[in-house]
Amino acid sequence: MGRACRATLCALALTIAASVHAAPIVPEAGLSERTLAYIQRAWGTLTRSATECASYPSGPHQRRRVLYLPKDLRMPTAVRELQARCHVTVLRLPARIAELGSVQPAALPRQGLLYLPHPYVVPGGFFNEMFGWDSYFIELGLLADHHAALARGIVDNFLFEVRHYGAVLNANGTFSLTRSQPPFLGEMIRTLLADPAAFPNPAAATVWLRHAYPLAVKDYSTWERPEQLAGRTGLARYFDYGGPQPAIELRTATYYRGVIRFLLAHPAQNRGYLVRSPLHPSAPEAARLAQVSCDMRASRVCAQAWYGGYRLTGKFYRGDRAMRESGFDTTFRFGPYSGSTIDYAPVGLNSLLYRYALDLAAFARRLGNSAAAGRWAAAAAARKRAINTYLWNPRLGQYTDYDFVTHKRSYYAFITTFYPLWAGAASRAQARAVRDNLPLFERRGGLQTSDYASGAQWDAPFGWAPTNWLAVAGLEAYGYRAAARRIAGKFVATVDRGFAHDGTIREKYNMATGSAQVRITAGYTENEIGFGWTNGVYVKMWQLLHARAGAH
């Protein structure tokens, strides 16, 4: 949307935040103890395995009880037994996968789960797969709660994905064969290596790293493919290799019809996302729409995605798929419903890749490969220069995304401005400026995702565990301990209040009210129960608060 914060609105935000700071919320010990006990039980509840019946839907969704094996993998005994025991259909992928997009999900006879060799933790709610960036925050919680074997199995599953499915996937479902997710594999490896319980001894950890390192290098290379480059900026973008078609995991066109309705009601926000079309086009018209919109012959959802005489353009569908790779599904920061995601070099992604390169440099040094370590350090330095050139906005004192197509900075305040602090890419002056902008995001319950209430779940007033944790960890790393502890206390208290209210932990919260009461009007409206990354972040924030309290 790219609009500057108006002075009156900024002043109002500062006033609200100042009043919130005057009365910081401190978690109640009794509530926290009950929440922690629930989380410790929940790890088992949320654990799945590709060879257990519970990982496959039952009832009306039994037709989706399908497991795919890699083309070149010998069938494990447990998978052979699964077919009879759980009535699961086991199929093989049609080809060996070297990179994302080698196999198109739409070309498979049925959609299903992708095999992984080790147990894993799912987010919760209707999410029944191992998800990409969710798993980093789940790993943090598992290690903090002394489940090192389960955490190691999850990391090994991601290495298996890189080897057999081309990269770390959005999730281990066939719908993800064309896209990844925010790249945390390097950090997951580093975090695992730092836990003494994960390996019998340092020598065993190094042996494991020799296997993991080349696969991490391969995963990083995904972000260096031409399609993932943000023009000539030296930065990366999100991209899905499924082409200009609706996301295959959506089984109805309800979401896309909502997008069309919004654009018709807000024509000023239409970035060329609409194309005129009859509901039932003729064969020549359908052929034309396959070029400028999507192919109705290949997708029932495409055929249904019509409202008021319009369909969505192929550009929107490409951006929509890329938005799903970003994990922020959805926000309006890359246009309405983030339909222009492919046009942007995002702060978050490039901060993660900076940290990834540093991790790979450290792994190479540990393995005695000084030349590779030097190359990775140089790659990190080059990305840092590009981040400072395109993503640092000195006028705002924030990191903001860059539209490399129009060559314009975004003025959309978003919580990923804290990512460079977590990654260690910010200077002291930059970190201080970002810290000074906390009032744009800080509310009663913690940090909201943006300063714009679009109605979407990744915008104001909603806040999420992963982004709150990265902000807290980044502030802590630069010495802003009071701010980090204040925000951690607010978020922990918000989760505690929600748990006390209905005995659940949710995927997102209302930061304005400090509660789990969310009302979303654009995109996905549910607030799922579980919830893996909220559990992990809660444990880490509780430990941070406990450690600080003990230090004083």
Side-chain angles (χ1 to χ4, degrees):
M1 194 163 289
R3 81 265 182 265
C5 178
R6 293 185 291 275
T8 53
L9 291 180
C10 288
L12 177 60
L14 289 166
T15 301
I16 293 171
S19 66
V20 171
H21 292 175
I25 296 170
V26 180
E28 296 181 29
L31 288 179
S32 292
E33 289 169 1
R34 292 193 290 275
T35 307
L36 286 167
Y38 171 86
I39 290 171
Q40 289 163 359
R41 295 192 302 271
W43 294 128
T45 304
L46 295 172
T47 298
R48 301 284 186 274
S49 168
T51 56
E52 292 182 356
C53 301
S55 299
Y56 301 88
S58 56
H61 300 291
Q62 280 196 349
R63 62 184 177 80
R64 290 160 49 198
R65 295 168 71 86
V66 178
L67 175 67
Y68 278 90
L69 289 175
K71 175 74 171 179
D72 54 349
L73 183 73
R74 178 179 298 178
M75 182 178 289
T77 301
V79 172
R80 185 176 294 109
E81 295 171 351
L82 175 78
Q83 297 180 88
R85 181 165 48 87
C86 305
H87 306 290
V88 171
T89 300
V90 178
L91 302 173
R92 285 198 178 273
L93 291 170
R96 186 177 180 277
I97 297 176
E99 57 186 7
L100 294 175
S102 296
V103 169
Q104 289 292 321
L108 299 175
R110 296 168 66 182
Q111 300 306 309
L113 201 66
L114 295 168
Y115 173 74
L116 294 174
H118 305 287
Y120 49 88
V121 175
V122 301
F126 73 87
F127 299 105
N128 204 39
E129 298 92 3
M130 184 184 78
F131 276 75
W133 72 312
D134 294 64
S135 294
Y136 168 65
F137 304 95
I138 289 170
E139 178 198 29
L140 294 179
L142 288 173
L143 292 176
D145 264 348
H146 310 292
H147 296 288
L150 182 54
R152 179 174 169 179
I154 291 172
V155 179
D156 281 331
N157 279 339
F158 281 125
L159 298 175
F160 183 91
E161 284 188 352
V162 177
R163 180 181 295 278
H164 293 283
Y165 306 130
V168 168
L169 301 179
N170 181 167
N172 66 311
T174 51
F175 68 87
S176 291
L177 286 170
T178 57
R179 64 173 181 258
S180 185
Q181 272 219 309
F184 280 97
L185 180 59
E187 273 302 288
M188 294 188 74
I189 293 171
R190 186 193 66 78
T191 303
L192 191 68
L193 290 170
D195 192 294
F199 301 94
N201 50 59
T206 300
V207 169
W208 178 85
L209 180 61
R210 290 190 187 281
H211 158 72
Y213 172 73
L215 293 170
V217 170
K218 175 177 171 55
D219 181 61
Y220 183 96
S221 72
T222 296
W223 304 97
E224 297 180 307
R225 292 175 65 178
E227 297 89 345
Q228 306 273 180
L229 300 181
R232 298 180 180 179
T233 61
L235 298 169
R237 68 170 179 176
Y238 288 110
F239 187 84
D240 182 296
Y241 293 88
Q245 287 289 102
I248 194 167
E249 68 270 26
L250 297 186
R251 292 176 174 81
T252 73
T254 302
Y255 178 85
Y256 296 117
R257 286 195 293 266
V259 175
I260 298 171
R261 281 196 299 271
F262 176 89
L263 294 172
L264 292 176
H266 303 84
Q269 296 193 41
N270 179 16
R271 297 188 177 187
Y273 296 151
L274 296 178
V275 57
R276 285 189 175 275
S277 165
L279 176 59
H280 301 292
S282 63
E285 176 68 5
R288 183 187 75 86
L289 289 170
Q291 299 300 314
V292 300
S293 177
C294 55
D295 190 347
M296 289 182 283
R297 296 163 297 185
S299 168
R300 179 172 58 88
V301 172
C302 170
Q304 296 172 344
W306 177 94
Y307 180 82
Y310 288 90
R311 296 183 182 276
L312 294 165
T313 61
K315 174 181 169 59
F316 178 87
Y317 284 121
R318 288 186 182 277
D320 176 72
R321 283 175 166 270
M323 174 267 291
R324 296 168 195 279
E325 181 175 73
S326 79
F328 293 106
D329 46 350
T330 186
T331 165
F332 277 41
R333 70 175 170 140
F334 299 136
Y337 293 83
S338 281
S340 292
T341 299
I342 58 173
D343 292 347
Y344 284 85
V347 172
L349 171 60
N350 287 284
S351 299
L352 294 176
L353 289 172
Y354 170 77
R355 182 81 163 240
Y356 205 161
L358 291 180
D359 287 335
L360 290 171
F363 302 156
R365 282 193 295 272
R366 178 165 178 169
L367 296 174
N369 192 337
S370 58
R375 290 193 296 272
W376 286 118
R383 192 171 299 274
K384 183 177 179 179
R385 287 193 296 272
I387 288 172
N388 278 321
T389 299
Y390 295 101
L391 306 181
W392 173 246
N393 191 325
R395 176 182 162 195
L396 297 183
Q398 298 178 54
Y399 291 92
T400 57
D401 308 307
Y402 180 73
D403 185 335
F404 65 90
V405 176
T406 63
H407 309 291
K408 293 180 180 178
R409 298 178 187 274
S410 170
Y411 282 83
Y412 201 107
F414 204 71
I415 199 169
T416 48
T417 190
F418 295 97
Y419 276 45
L421 278 65
W422 172 84
S427 68
R428 291 290 170 183
Q430 288 169 326
R432 183 170 58 252
V434 171
R435 186 279 313 266
D436 290 345
N437 273 300
L438 272 170
L440 289 172
F441 305 97
E442 189 172 354
R443 296 295 182 267
R444 181 174 188 259
L447 298 180
Q448 63 184 12
T449 311
S450 74
D451 68 340
Y452 179 64
S454 67
Q457 64 179 3
W458 284 99
D459 275 319
F462 310 117
W464 298 66
T467 46
N468 267 261
W469 172 250
L470 294 178
V472 164
L475 291 165
E476 177 84 1
Y478 278 81
Y480 298 116
R481 296 183 176 90
R485 188 180 180 198
R486 183 180 69 244
I487 295 161
K490 289 181 175 186
F491 192 83
V492 165
T494 296
V495 176
D496 281 342
R497 279 192 298 275
F499 182 72
H501 174 69
D502 64 7
T504 66
I505 292 179
R506 303 284 179 153
E507 66 172 343
K508 54 185 171 283
Y509 291 87
N510 186 322
M511 297 290 98
T513 61
S515 74
Q517 303 306 309
V518 302
R519 182 176 180 273
I520 296 164
T521 58
Y524 307 110
T525 59
E526 299 301 314
N527 193 3
E528 299 298 330
I529 295 173
F531 198 82
W533 64 15
T534 310
N535 296 353
V537 165
Y538 182 96
V539 173
K540 291 296 290 183
M541 286 188 174
W542 186 89
Q543 289 186 338
L544 182 148
L545 292 167
H546 181 77
R548 290 294 164 201
H552 286 295

